Amino acid sequence: MGSKPRQRSTADERRQTVLNTAIRAFAAKGYYGTTTVEVAKAAGISQGYLYRLFPDKESLFVAVIEHCSQRLRENIATAMASVTSTEPSVVLAQLSASYLALIADRDLLMLLMHGNCAAGEPAIREAVRRCYAQQVEYVRAASGASDEELHHYFAESLLANVVVAIGADSLDAPWARTLRA
């Protein structure tokens, strides 16, 4: 019996592999601390091939932010499929629970945090702005919430990012309980 011929990956499959690998790499060390050599090596490709998929590190990071933004929208859509109320406060509560489950993926969470930190780079700033704009408008349309309700929802979500990132969600200390309240 002969072995099956090796099936080559398509460029789209390789691109997806690189994006997933880059999420882990950038989540661990941030935009400034991660090299394209590290991403390419972790993805099992040459740095030259990485540059054929993404012209530079900045465009790779922007693509990663856009990929994570899509995951956020998919999370909202999935949560909305099980919402049984049209009351904005109920919808937002269910979206909050879904978001908390999503940011349990530490790589996604840390990538989002690093995206905010690298927003001094113009292209990254624009990608992060698009991500926030898309999330706000998607939640607004899905929930019917007022600007004040949306402000509260996103303020709590951003605080949840910090609480989870620093591990305060598992601490039994007065300050941690206050942040989780």
Side-chain angles (χ1 to χ4, degrees):
M1 292 184 117
S3 63
K4 283 173 100 174
R6 186 175 150 201
Q7 189 173 9
R8 296 180 58 101
S9 301
T10 66
D12 286 340
E13 290 168 336
R14 266 301 188 208
R15 185 175 169 83
Q16 191 60 46
T17 297
V18 170
L19 285 174
N20 290 332
T21 302
I23 288 169
R24 286 188 299 277
F26 286 128
K29 293 172 55 179
Y31 174 71
Y32 298 106
T34 304
T35 67
T36 56
V37 170
E38 293 168 323
V39 174
K41 184 177 178 182
I45 61 173
S46 69
Q47 187 178 25
Y49 189 68
L50 175 71
Y51 283 127
R52 285 199 312 201
L53 296 171
F54 302 94
D56 53 33
K57 183 169 94 168
E58 186 178 69
S59 64
L60 172 60
F61 194 81
V62 165
V64 166
I65 293 289
E66 290 168 349
H67 176 76
C68 290
S69 183
Q70 179 61 36
R71 282 191 59 199
L72 290 167
R73 285 190 308 279
E74 289 167 359
N75 184 66
I76 294 166
T78 300
M80 287 304 297
S82 64
V83 171
T84 58
S85 173
T86 58
E87 177 59 39
S89 62
V90 173
V91 173
L92 292 176
Q94 289 183 284
L95 291 178
S96 289
S98 178
Y99 182 74
L100 288 174
L102 183 66
I103 62 172
D105 175 346
R106 189 157 183 83
D107 288 340
L108 174 75
L109 169 63
M110 295 310 294
L111 187 281
L112 293 171
M113 301 283 285
H114 284 300
N116 291 331
C117 293
E121 304 297 329
I124 295 171
R125 178 176 44 247
E126 286 307 312
V128 171
R129 283 179 179 171
R130 278 190 309 274
C131 179
Y132 279 109
Q134 290 168 349
Q135 302 320 306
V136 170
E137 295 311 323
Y138 198 61
V139 171
R140 180 191 316 277
S143 69
S146 68
D147 283 350
E148 183 178 337
E149 289 169 313
L150 289 168
H151 173 86
H152 185 73
Y153 168 80
F154 281 97
E156 284 191 356
S157 296
L158 292 171
L159 179 58
N161 287 354
V162 173
V163 167
V164 173
I166 65 172
D169 54 333
S170 61
L171 293 178
D172 186 24
W175 69 269
R177 286 191 302 273
T178 298
L179 292 181
R180 291 191 310 263

